[in-house]
């Protein structure tokens, strides 16, 4: 396990790939904008969240310090807002401010978990792991629902991910130095570090039913439940499907050959639909707006 030293402020004088300053926030020409903004990422979102909280430090921090059960809509919207800022869709300055805010708020997330283990959210291993699921999620979404990245694009996206890690204050010595090293690191974490903890159990239970109606929902709760039950079931299935098989087994999640066949048919339909969809329609609203604004800007 990594040492418990605290992530530092991002380096400003080093230089990243292709002349970018170390700790650069993604911009309009980045692959991060393209792949993080791809709406098909909703189909891997559930598995990404489970990957994160299966880390014992992350799971304990969420259990003790998050309000996601009491305020699920608020927590979801705040998470999306944070991600959109951090990824640079609202500009470099907002991205850097959000990276600094994330470092600051994690300083106070600490305690003792249900097993009596002390934890701190700025534990480098846990802090890096949450960021690692971003890179894994972008690659996995394209691999399953889009078109797998060719090696040169994967390398470029990886270097952008490293820049973002530095912006978060993760020190370079904790980072994998290549996509191949990242794959080894990711597989080792999944195999040897992630666990079936109480937060994992809670998320699996919550995923069996729709979110409660949003604030000021004008119709009866039954109407909301009826409307949301089919997409909730779909998201649960895609979440289970896109988990590493060893974690499906570790978490006790049912996955049959019939489930696999249905999922493969669904994934194929998403790939075909994506191939026929104009590129501008493949992005989330904020990503699409940011890209349009960048094209309209002088020199865009």
């Amino acid at each position: 396990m990594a040492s418990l030293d605290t992530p530092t402020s991002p380096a400003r004088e080093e230089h990243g790939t292709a002349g970018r300053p170390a700790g650069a926030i993604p911009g309009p020409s980045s692959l991060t904008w393209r792949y993080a903004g791809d709406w098909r990422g909703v189909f891997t979102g559930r598995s990404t969240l489970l990957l994160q909280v299966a880390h014992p430090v992350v799971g304990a921090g969420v259990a003790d310090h998050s309000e996601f059960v009491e305020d699920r809509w608020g927590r979801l919207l705040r998470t999306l807002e944070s991600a959109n800022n951090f990824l640079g869709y609202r500009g470099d300055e907002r991205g850097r401010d959000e990276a600094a805010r994330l470092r600051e708020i994690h300083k106070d997330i600490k305690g003792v978990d249900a097993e009596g283990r002390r934890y701190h959210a700025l534990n480098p291993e846990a802090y890096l792991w949450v960021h690692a699921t971003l890179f894994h999620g972008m690659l996995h979404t394209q691999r399953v629902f889009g078109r797998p990245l060719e090696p040169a694009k994967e390398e470029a996206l990886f270097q952008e991910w490293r820049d973002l890690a530095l912006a978060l204050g993760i020190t370079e010595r904790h980072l994998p130095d290549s996509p191949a090293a990242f794959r080894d690191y990711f597989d080792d974490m999944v195999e040897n570090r992630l666990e079936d903890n109480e937060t994992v159990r809670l998320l699996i239970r919550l995923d069996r039913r729709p979110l409660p109606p949003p604030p000021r929902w004008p119709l009866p709760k039954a109407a909301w439940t009826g409307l949301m039950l089919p997409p909730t079931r779909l998201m649960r299935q895609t979440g289970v499907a896109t988990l590493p098989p060893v974690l499906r087994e570790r978490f006790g999640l049912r996955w049959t050959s019939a489930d696999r066949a249905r999922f493969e048919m669904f994934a194929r339909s998403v790939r075909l639909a994506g191939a026929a969809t104009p590129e501008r329609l493949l992005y989330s609203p904020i990503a699409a707006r940011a890209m349009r604004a960048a094209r309209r800007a002088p020199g865009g």
Side-chain angles (χ1 to χ4, degrees):
M1 180 174 173
S3 62
L4 293 176
D5 54 322
T6 300
T8 62
S9 297
R12 294 303 180 104
E13 296 181 1
E14 304 171 36
H15 289 274
T17 303
R20 294 193 311 272
I25 298 297
S29 62
S30 68
L31 292 175
T32 301
W33 270 30
R34 176 177 178 178
Y35 294 120
D38 191 322
W39 67 265
R40 290 170 291 190
V42 300
F43 298 129
T44 56
R46 295 293 206 279
S47 60
T48 295
L49 186 56
L50 283 173
L51 283 168
Q52 291 176 359
V53 301
H55 190 286
V57 172
V58 181
V62 169
D64 291 346
H65 298 273
S66 175
E67 299 176 349
F68 79 97
V69 174
E70 297 83 1
D71 183 20
R72 293 179 68 188
W73 277 103
R75 186 70 180 86
L76 173 62
L77 294 175
R78 288 191 296 273
T79 298
L80 291 174
E81 178 79 2
S82 173
N84 289 328
N85 286 336
F86 174 57
L87 293 171
Y89 291 126
R90 295 189 174 101
D92 182 83
E93 184 176 356
R94 288 278 287 274
R96 291 192 178 281
D97 287 347
E98 184 59 21
R101 188 188 74 85
L102 289 170
R103 290 194 304 275
E104 188 63 29
I105 65 174
H106 282 83
K107 289 180 181 178
D108 295 327
I109 299 177
K110 54 189 174 181
V112 179
D113 71 11
E115 303 297 323
R117 301 170 296 192
R118 298 190 66 81
Y119 68 85
H120 194 293
L122 288 182
N123 171 308
E125 184 194 72
Y127 199 54
L128 171 59
W129 175 246
V130 173
H131 186 56
T133 63
L134 169 65
F135 184 61
H136 169 76
M138 290 188 290
L139 289 181
H140 200 45
T141 295
Q142 298 307 314
R143 193 158 47 234
V144 177
F145 297 109
R147 180 179 297 175
L149 272 66
E150 58 195 48
K153 280 190 175 180
E154 183 176 345
E155 173 68 30
L157 183 64
F158 174 74
Q159 294 302 332
E160 293 175 8
W161 173 81
R162 277 177 58 94
D163 284 339
L164 275 170
L166 294 173
L168 283 170
I170 299 170
T171 54
E172 191 162 6
R173 66 191 177 89
H174 289 117
L175 294 170
D177 60 8
S178 68
F182 180 91
R183 287 191 289 272
D184 290 342
Y185 151 77
F186 183 88
D187 291 345
D188 180 66
M189 289 291 291
V190 167
E191 187 68 36
N192 299 309
R193 190 70 174 114
L194 304 189
E195 64 180 22
D196 181 11
N197 57 44
E198 284 303 313
T199 306
V200 168
R201 294 284 98 209
L202 175 61
L203 291 183
I204 289 172
R205 290 195 300 272
L206 290 175
D207 233 11
R208 293 193 176 106
R209 57 184 186 270
L211 277 166
R216 295 180 294 280
W217 171 250
L219 299 178
K221 183 178 179 181
W224 168 262
T225 301
L227 181 67
M228 294 305 297
L229 197 55
T232 296
R233 288 173 174 166
L234 174 62
M235 293 299 101
R236 174 176 168 78
Q237 283 298 103
T238 60
V240 173
T242 54
L243 273 174
V246 66
L247 291 186
R248 287 201 296 263
E249 182 176 349
R250 192 172 300 165
F251 299 162
L253 295 170
R254 180 178 179 272
W255 185 248
T256 67
S257 57
D259 292 328
R260 182 170 62 252
R262 284 192 295 269
F263 174 73
E264 288 174 353
M265 184 179 300
F266 172 74
R268 182 172 181 272
S269 70
V270 173
R271 289 194 296 271
L272 290 173
T277 301
E279 190 177 41
R280 68 184 184 278
L281 299 180
L282 287 176
Y283 303 116
S284 67
I286 190 167
R289 285 197 301 271
M291 292 177 185
R292 286 197 302 270
R295 286 194 295 268
R296 291 195 298 265

